[in-house]
Amino acid sequence: MDQHRRHVMSDAIIGFGAIGKALAAMFARKGIDVMVATRRPPETHAAEARSIGPGVRAVTLEEALAADTILLAVPFRGHVEVAAAACDWRGKTVIDVTNGYGVPEEELGGASPASVVAQAFSGAQLVKAFNHLPARLLAQDPSRDGGRRVIFVTSDDEAAADTVCALVERLGFAAIKLGKLDEGGALVQGRGNSWGRLIFKDLVKSD
């Protein structure tokens, strides 16, 4: 049963800017199928998606929202529109790849950017990951210096964090859990005019 479930699980990236393309390259490198979607019709970026890898498929936003795991790779304020595009987020794992740098504290209402995103995706299992490195590093082969590039994972849902850690490892990276969104997660979130202390830290875990 577990093998069948792994076989049918689907992944989608929403957003196809520099970060979205880097994420797609990660999946393509490992031969893992992934859907990519934006607010634009899929034919506008279908050729570019195929050029990244044969398993990278441009789809409509509606098709992407049907995936089991959704990587949110839009500008921070764009999460509101994505969240509103589906009426029910239950059973979904949403990986928040956004950064709230430049978003005024008052706009966040005293909450962390990840917590604000989590509130918008009510019912989903929200996990923060893949957001602390720039696109050029995410797109590179994560194997280096005798180890693997580190991806930090944080969530208020332990089971969801474990699920995303497994995906991180499948993609060739080393997953390190930092705890809950408002605890260790503060180390990998940008907000206002400040970056978390682990943002842009390119670390390698020795194997």
Side-chain angles (χ1 to χ4, degrees):
M1 180 66 180
D2 287 344
Q3 289 181 344
H4 176 67
R5 179 168 174 75
R6 282 197 296 269
H7 175 73
V8 299
M9 292 292 279
S10 56
D11 304 299
I13 299 164
I14 296 180
F16 201 52
I19 292 292
K21 292 170 186 174
L23 294 172
M26 287 164 30
F27 280 82
R29 185 184 301 112
K30 292 296 183 179
I32 303 172
D33 290 347
V34 67
M35 296 176 280
V36 295
T38 70
R39 291 174 295 179
R40 295 173 287 127
E43 54 268 22
T44 62
H45 54 280
E48 190 170 12
R50 282 195 301 271
S51 72
I52 295 175
V56 181
R57 183 166 61 93
V59 299
T60 64
L61 181 58
E62 183 179 19
E63 288 176 284
L65 293 176
D68 300 292
T69 300
I70 295 167
L71 292 91
L72 188 66
V74 298
F76 178 78
R77 291 183 176 94
H79 80 270
V80 177
E81 186 175 348
V82 177
C87 59
D88 188 357
W89 286 97
R90 288 176 298 180
K92 303 285 186 185
T93 298
V94 175
I95 302 177
D96 178 15
V97 194
T98 70
N99 271 309
Y101 183 79
V103 179
E105 293 283 349
E106 54 269 24
E107 186 176 328
L108 298 171
S112 69
S115 294
V116 171
V117 175
Q119 290 167 13
F121 289 86
S122 179
Q125 298 171 314
L126 189 117
V127 181
K128 191 84 175 170
F130 298 111
N131 69 297
H132 85 283
L133 292 175
R136 63 179 180 81
L137 292 183
L138 283 176
Q140 292 176 8
D141 189 326
S143 299
R144 50 174 295 221
D145 302 331
R148 292 170 293 148
R149 181 169 273 124
V150 166
I151 295 294
F152 296 110
V153 177
T154 178
S155 179
D156 293 341
D157 186 311
E158 189 73 16
D162 288 341
T163 296
V164 173
C165 283
L167 175 61
V168 168
E169 298 280 338
R170 282 180 68 206
L171 292 170
F173 293 82
I176 294 182
K177 289 198 288 186
L178 294 180
K180 296 186 176 182
L181 296 175
D182 284 337
E183 298 171 355
L187 296 171
V188 287
Q189 296 183 51
R191 58 190 298 171
N193 295 317
S194 65
W195 291 106
R197 293 175 62 186
L198 292 179
I199 292 281
F200 305 133
K201 299 297 185 186
D202 184 18
L203 305 179
V204 174
K205 182 180 179 181
S206 298
D207 288 328

